[in-house]
Amino acid sequence: MKLRKSIPSLIFCVLNVLWFASAPTAHSEWLALDGENNIWWLADTNGAVSGQFANLPPDHQQWMAMNRAPNGGGSVLKLGGDVTGDDLEVYTLDGITNGEVGGFNLGPFQNGNLLQPGSWTFDAAGDLYIADNYYSHIVHYNGTNGAYLGVFVSSVSPNNMTFGPDGNLYVADSNLGVVRYNGTNGDFMDTFVPLGTNGVPDAANLLFGPDENLYVYSASSNAVMRFDGHTGQFIGYFVPPGNAGLGSGMAFGPDGNFYTTSGSSILRYDGRTGAFLNTFASGIGLGGLLGLAYLSDTNPPTVTIASPANNTMISGTVTVSVNAADNGAITAVQFQLDGTNFGAPLTATPYAVTWNTTTATDGAHTLTAFAWDATGNEGVSAPVTVSVANGDPADTTPPVVNITAPANNAKVSGTVSVSADATDDTSVAYVQFQLDGVNLGWTITNAPYTVAWNTASVTNGTHILTALAQDTAGNQAISGPVTLSVTNAEPGPTLFVSDSNGNIIKIAPDGTQSIFATATNAFYGLAFDRSGNLFASEYSPGIIYKFTPDGAQSAFNNSSNACSAYSLVFDNAGNLFADCANVIYKFTPDGTRSVFTTTPLYASYPSAETFDNAGNFYFTTWTFNTPNGGPQDIIAEYAPDGSSRTYETLQAGYYGGFFGMAFDAAGNLLLNGTGGMAFDDAGNLYEANRSSGNIYKIAPDGTQTTYVSGLNGPVGLTIAPSVTLSDPPPQLPPPRLSIQLTATNTVQISWPSIAGTNWTLCCQPGMCSTNSWSVLTNPPVLVGTNYVVTESCASTAFYRLEQK
């Protein structure tokens, strides 16, 4: 920090230490600043000096502070400059070599209304705030490039300051005590801790501890006081007055204990009681220690499920195991089955549990594992999907399945019919065709087992076709392979793109363009159902149109259930999902609309949707009003059982949301902010770019080419399906429900077990004034010959079963 040389009497030095949120290295360490402008690395275990972080240039006579910006990616440490010149110099975490400055400079100070700098701090978004003791105000800067952003707080006498867990700015004011200011606009909120007998006699330093309480160092009484971090109420002396030798540098360590400087030593106190424990380190540096900081490890552990393998069928008792590693030490591993903790946390290797799969229903289940290290960093494995197939122990006979068309060694082109016969001694559950080992179309649950395959979706040459059949007991069989030779002249997909002129453009595999449909307002979302019908959302009127393969147009919804959607997507059951404002609607094939979910309270603009292979639903929503101050994009995930989580919170600062969202073959989620995106069957990615008017093609090896150019603002993009199926069979009539009141003001709803568990129980409170049904998430329990669910719905309620 440099001050104008014309006012050398205005030299003021304040030390500020923050609790650091992320680590620059592969392990946790301490930094200590001594009176000779040296900054030392200290080992996190015993405080021994392990190296010199920086030896500051001779002209840096007074260093104002050590601090660190929570910028996430670069983990940048900020070091204040001297008080003999014009500039505040900002140094990166890599240290200072031969006096060279890394990062950026602030100044001359008068340009930023900064003349006599004091303490400084960063907000959660990484912006920089510096107290000017000459002008008695706090100045706001961009924490990345140092751009001046204005005076944040006026008329203040700060000794020190920091942002609290609530996101507001706390200032130790020499005239008022600890004062709180709004962390967004700098407005005065209240005197959080006043001066006085039950307040703060003075404050040389302050910080929030891991318990979110406020700790204040009083230089006059040589004590550390503790205040309730939510109310400001005085809790008591953490380190009582009279403890000689306390210094202003203080921090909480990885063990939860409290550390403070004292001369050339670091003292350790019990983090809960404040009782003195020991001298953590001594004899550090020259001229006494002025600052102390702990850099915690934020490298999460890596965890991978080793067994069972993904997409395998299991039965009986199996071992679930993971491999977990960390740069430090793994403290615990927790398995989860379908999002619920499975077994107790494991604290030592081997990380394995035994699972009796007969306790779970037959069908698909998801396994995940979480791992934590000594500093609380959490790692999560990729999910593993398994199919439990215990079934009837008496039924061990697999189905018989054969491909009946096309014939073996046939040459095929265009769209061909693929058919199979499947029989079983009890009942065939489904048939799944596979092409070269990859699923071809959806599972088919009823005969005839037939799909229409557009052979232009694959390369010319030899391909292997098989059919997998599974019976209701979980037994599987695979047909003999059929070898086919694809001989198309123009292989490739057929694209459909919506542009800003209100057109839907059809782009044939040979590049020929034609207008498929047009409207007064622009279309946004495009999606095909399993029968090959195209659905398109005309945004302004909120009408979703259905186009048959020959181009016949009809309104799928109307003004009474309008939905201004940016994106459309179908699930495997033929239900259409559409994002509309802050609501995701679900339309059944007959057009009935229901609310699937609402976006988070602070989110307003969903714009892209997709499903993964396991049937989990994802959508991305853009919002300005976030806890981080926005704007920000958030990805939410909804599992088939209705559970949800925030899948990803993307970095703040992006405006406008995403219009494309899709999973590649490896399960990676891709986003496109410039338009829609889709994969063809060969794994090529197509992306629309509104700005350039181009459609880009990205091959599996990453090679990018311009596939189509000259379009007018392309937004929506989809690919005509290579396989079409008939609509699923109509829903079965639900079994009769029995409802019985209990003495505990609950109801027991039951239905015959012969109907199976393929039902979702829904409840509607009230007297049918609305058609708002909510799903009851309690799983059914088999009691005798009935499935039973116990619920405490409204006193007047109606119940019904819906087929899953």
Side-chain angles (χ1 to χ4, degrees):
M1 179 68 63
K2 300 178 181 178
L3 294 182
R4 304 293 295 175
K5 294 179 181 177
S6 59
I7 49 172
S9 62
L10 296 180
I11 295 175
F12 185 77
C13 180
V14 177
L15 291 176
N16 180 32
V17 179
L18 291 185
W19 180 269
F20 293 126
S22 61
T25 60
H27 57 289
S28 306
E29 297 207 54
W30 294 88
L31 281 182
L33 169 69
D34 70 16
E36 294 295 325
N37 301 322
N38 298 302
I39 301 176
W40 303 95
W41 286 112
L42 308 179
D44 59 352
T45 54
N46 57 15
V49 174
S50 58
Q52 188 178 50
F53 171 73
N55 185 338
L56 307 182
D59 62 330
H60 292 68
Q61 298 301 314
Q62 301 232 11
W63 277 78
M64 179 192 67
M66 288 195 304
N67 213 325
R68 170 132 161 235
N71 64 352
S75 296
V76 178
L77 181 73
K78 310 295 184 180
L79 300 174
D82 64 41
V83 295
T84 62
D86 296 327
D87 297 333
L88 168 67
E89 299 172 344
V90 181
Y91 295 82
T92 68
L93 188 65
D94 294 332
I96 305 162
T97 305
N98 300 322
E100 295 297 325
V101 179
F104 57 84
N105 288 3
L106 296 178
F109 294 146
Q110 60 266 31
N111 291 346
N113 291 333
L114 187 67
L115 190 60
Q116 186 181 350
S119 62
W120 64 345
T121 189
F122 290 85
D123 63 16
D127 278 357
L128 172 64
Y129 300 78
I130 303 178
D132 187 283
N133 298 302
Y134 182 83
Y135 289 111
S136 298
H137 61 205
I138 298 172
V139 188
H140 184 191
Y141 295 90
N142 183 292
T144 302
N145 56 28
Y148 170 64
L149 300 178
V151 173
F152 192 68
V153 176
S154 301
S155 301
V156 64
S157 299
N159 289 335
N160 211 303
M161 60 183 179
T162 185
F163 279 86
D166 58 0
N168 295 314
L169 179 65
Y170 291 76
V171 178
D173 191 299
S174 58
N175 297 323
L176 300 175
V178 180
V179 184
R180 179 164 54 177
Y181 297 90
N182 185 288
T184 301
N185 55 30
D187 289 346
F188 173 83
M189 295 179 64
D190 55 23
T191 300
F192 191 68
V193 178
L195 292 174
T197 304
N198 294 324
V200 179
D202 66 320
N205 200 0
L206 76 167
L207 81 158
F208 283 88
D211 57 1
E212 296 193 352
N213 288 322
L214 178 64
Y215 293 77
V216 179
Y217 168 62
S218 170
S220 62
S221 58
N222 203 30
V224 178
M225 310 171 70
R226 178 161 53 182
F227 299 87
D228 188 292
H230 302 284
T231 66
Q233 191 73 26
F234 178 64
I235 297 175
Y237 282 99
F238 184 66
V239 179
N243 285 267
L246 287 181
S248 60
M250 58 184 187
F252 280 89
D255 55 4
N257 291 320
F258 178 78
Y259 294 75
T260 180
T261 58
S262 177
S264 296
S265 299
I266 300 174
L267 307 181
R268 175 160 50 186
Y269 294 83
D270 189 287
R272 293 172 297 176
T273 66
F276 176 76
L277 296 177
N278 55 27
T279 298
F280 177 64
S282 60
I284 302 171
L286 301 173
L289 296 179
L290 304 178
L292 181 66
Y294 178 72
L295 283 68
S296 61
D297 174 16
T298 56
N299 295 312
T302 59
V303 55
T304 304
I305 295 180
S307 66
N310 193 35
N311 294 324
T312 57
M313 179 171 293
I314 58 177
S315 61
T317 299
V318 297
T319 297
V320 182
S321 64
V322 303
N323 296 322
D326 187 65
N327 57 283
I330 299 292
T331 58
V333 170
Q334 175 66 64
F335 290 95
Q336 286 195 344
L337 175 63
D338 298 330
T340 302
N341 286 350
F342 176 55
L346 303 176
T347 57
T349 57
Y351 303 119
V353 295
T354 300
W355 176 23
N356 181 2
T357 63
T358 61
T359 61
T361 59
D362 281 3
H365 295 273
T366 301
L367 291 167
T368 50
F370 292 80
W372 295 270
D373 63 17
T375 53
N377 298 308
E378 179 184 88
V380 59
S381 71
V384 166
T385 300
V386 295
S387 179
V388 173
N390 288 300
D392 183 355
D395 182 4
T396 59
T397 303
V400 176
V401 57
N402 294 289
I403 294 178
T404 57
N408 191 36
N409 296 321
K411 293 183 178 181
V412 293
S413 61
T415 299
V416 298
S417 178
V418 179
S419 302
D421 284 338
T423 59
D424 186 68
D425 59 341
T426 56
S427 177
V428 174
Y430 65 82
V431 169
Q432 172 68 67
F433 290 100
Q434 292 187 336
L435 181 67
D436 299 328
V438 178
N439 288 348
L440 178 67
W442 293 273
T443 57
I444 306 173
T445 57
N446 294 283
Y449 305 113
T450 301
V451 297
W453 170 36
N454 180 4
T455 62
S457 63
V458 298
T459 59
N460 285 340
T462 301
H463 295 273
I464 304 298
L465 187 67
T466 56
L468 180 149
Q470 178 172 307
D471 65 17
T472 53
N475 301 303
Q476 286 189 342
I478 299 178
S479 71
V482 170
T483 301
L484 302 173
S485 178
V486 175
T487 57
N488 286 303
E490 293 288 345
T494 299
L495 299 183
F496 286 78
V497 181
S498 60
D499 67 11
S500 58
N501 292 333
N503 297 321
I504 299 176
I505 300 172
K506 178 180 179 180
I507 304 172
D510 62 358
T512 303
Q513 299 182 21
S514 60
I515 295 179
F516 180 76
T518 186
T520 304
N521 301 284
F523 293 100
Y524 277 90
L526 301 176
F528 279 93
D529 68 6
R530 56 191 284 156
S531 300
N533 301 303
L534 175 65
F535 288 72
S537 59
E538 190 178 14
Y539 185 84
S540 294
I543 303 300
I544 300 173
Y545 290 98
K546 174 182 177 181
F547 299 88
T548 62
D550 59 5
Q553 175 181 334
S554 62
F556 182 65
N557 65 336
N558 52 52
S559 58
S560 65
N561 60 356
C563 177
S564 297
Y566 283 114
S567 179
L568 303 174
V569 67
F570 279 90
D571 66 8
N572 283 344
N575 300 303
L576 176 65
F577 290 75
D579 54 74
C580 303
N582 66 333
V583 179
I584 305 296
Y585 286 110
K586 173 183 175 181
F587 293 85
T588 58
D590 63 1
T592 302
R593 190 186 77 175
S594 61
V595 174
F596 176 74
T597 186
T598 57
T599 59
L601 293 178
Y602 50 82
S604 302
Y605 305 101
S607 56
E609 308 167 340
T610 192
F611 281 90
D612 65 11
N613 288 335
N616 300 303
F617 176 67
Y618 297 78
F619 67 87
T620 178
T621 180
W622 177 84
T623 176
F624 186 82
N625 183 22
T626 68
N628 291 331
Q632 198 160 26
D633 282 278
I634 299 166
I635 302 174
E637 175 189 3
Y638 282 78
D641 63 3
S643 61
S644 64
R645 65 168 177 150
T646 298
Y647 178 80
E648 184 68 74
T649 301
L650 303 179
Q651 184 171 349
Y654 182 80
Y655 288 86
F658 294 94
F659 291 91
M661 188 179 189
F663 282 91
D664 65 12
N668 302 304
L669 182 60
L670 306 179
L671 299 169
N672 184 20
T674 61
M677 62 193 306
F679 282 92
D680 66 13
D681 290 342
N684 299 299
L685 174 63
Y686 298 81
E687 292 184 347
N689 189 295
R690 290 175 295 167
S691 302
S692 66
N694 297 334
I695 304 295
Y696 297 107
K697 177 182 178 181
I698 304 171
D701 63 359
T703 303
Q704 178 174 315
T705 56
T706 300
Y707 188 71
V708 177
S709 61
L711 302 179
N712 188 3
V715 180
L717 182 149
T718 189
I719 294 177
S722 58
V723 174
T724 58
L725 296 174
S726 59
D727 287 332
Q731 290 192 339
L732 300 174
R736 182 180 297 274
L737 289 177
S738 298
I739 300 177
Q740 180 178 355
L741 296 175
T742 70
T744 58
N745 198 28
T746 60
V747 294
Q748 289 186 340
I749 306 100
S750 60
W751 63 92
S753 60
I754 193 173
T757 59
N758 194 34
W759 300 96
T760 297
L761 182 63
C762 301
C763 167
Q764 176 187 305
M767 296 297 295
C768 295
S769 57
T770 64
N771 192 29
S772 177
W773 292 86
S774 59
V775 175
L776 300 181
T777 58
N778 288 346
V781 177
L782 184 61
V783 179
T785 59
N786 291 304
Y787 284 105
V788 179
V789 173
T790 301
E791 273 295 333
S792 56
C793 199
S795 58
T796 302
F798 300 87
Y799 297 88
R800 75 180 184 192
L801 289 174
E802 294 180 357
Q803 192 173 0
K804 291 182 181 178

